[in-house]
Amino acid sequence: MDTETARERLLDAAATLFNERGVQAVGMDAIRGASGVSLKRAYQLFPSKTDLVEAVLQRRDLEVRSDIAALTATRESPAERVLALFDHLHHWFGQPDFRGCVFINSFGEMGGTSAGVADIARAHKEAVRNRLGELVAEAGGSSVLAAQIAMLADGAMVSAAMTGSAEPARQAKEAARVLLRSGAPGG
């Protein structure tokens, strides 16, 4: 098995197991078993479990940013581009394997003990907030409004994970719509 294939198998297995069980509950042996990559090879590619967690988060960050770019490009009005985020969340929350945001969950588990995990989670949330800020600005809203809408999205993620329902995305979308109308002329 070449290096790239082994790396991707490890990342896929780790992402799935971390999502299902949490980071702390998953050992490298479980990741080895799920990936089919030997433990020796796993440690050659990721010298520590924290290195693997960081790589999973970095890959997920790129996926989320790409998803947001593709999703918002399909909407015509600036306000609809903002609200599209909540449609995406509703779809995601309805997936059978949804267990919450990997960045929020990983930060909760490891943020106090791993500066790398904390930094990646913070950087991801900041990047999404910044993109949301651009979208809100295009809709005529302020940076304060963008921060409020980002908080609605994060809150919906936590609520959906805890309740097992996709409904928090719809509720957050309606709240965002109200905010956009009140804070964005013509929104």
Side-chain angles (χ1 to χ4, degrees):
M1 176 180 325
D2 66 57
T3 299
E4 189 56 32
T5 300
R7 185 177 194 285
E8 288 303 310
R9 283 187 177 185
L10 287 165
L11 290 171
D12 289 344
T16 298
L17 291 170
F18 295 160
N19 182 57
E20 290 173 355
R21 303 180 198 167
V23 174
Q24 300 290 8
V26 176
M28 288 299 287
D29 197 49
I31 295 167
R32 178 207 48 83
S35 69
V37 176
S38 73
L39 205 52
K40 180 180 177 182
R41 183 67 179 263
Y43 279 113
Q44 287 172 342
L45 294 168
F46 301 101
S48 72
K49 182 176 159 185
T50 300
D51 292 327
L52 181 57
V53 173
E54 290 174 4
V56 166
L57 292 175
Q58 289 165 339
R59 183 174 77 164
R60 183 66 182 143
D61 174 59
L62 295 175
E63 292 168 353
V64 169
R65 290 188 204 205
S66 176
D67 288 349
I68 290 171
L71 178 70
T72 57
T74 65
R75 304 299 170 97
E76 290 186 29
S77 79
E80 285 302 315
R81 284 192 284 278
V82 173
L83 297 175
L85 173 64
F86 296 96
D87 295 334
H88 172 70
L89 293 178
H90 186 266
H91 175 75
W92 178 39
F93 298 168
Q95 299 302 304
D97 65 344
F98 176 74
R99 303 283 184 281
C101 172
V102 68
F103 300 97
I104 293 170
N105 294 346
S106 297
F107 185 86
E109 283 194 69
M110 297 181 68
T113 59
S114 170
V117 168
D119 288 346
I120 292 167
R122 284 184 185 116
H124 168 77
K125 291 297 183 180
E126 181 179 352
V128 171
R129 276 192 310 273
N130 289 343
R131 179 62 186 130
L132 193 52
E134 293 167 359
L135 294 169
V136 169
E138 291 170 13
S142 68
S143 61
V144 171
L145 178 61
Q148 292 167 339
I149 292 173
M151 192 169 297
L152 286 171
D154 283 338
M157 288 177 212
V158 173
S159 293
M162 293 183 72
T163 63
S165 168
E167 190 57 25
R170 296 270 190 243
Q171 295 163 341
K173 180 180 180 178
E174 289 313 307
R177 186 184 313 277
V178 169
L179 289 172
L180 282 166
R181 285 185 184 140
S182 67

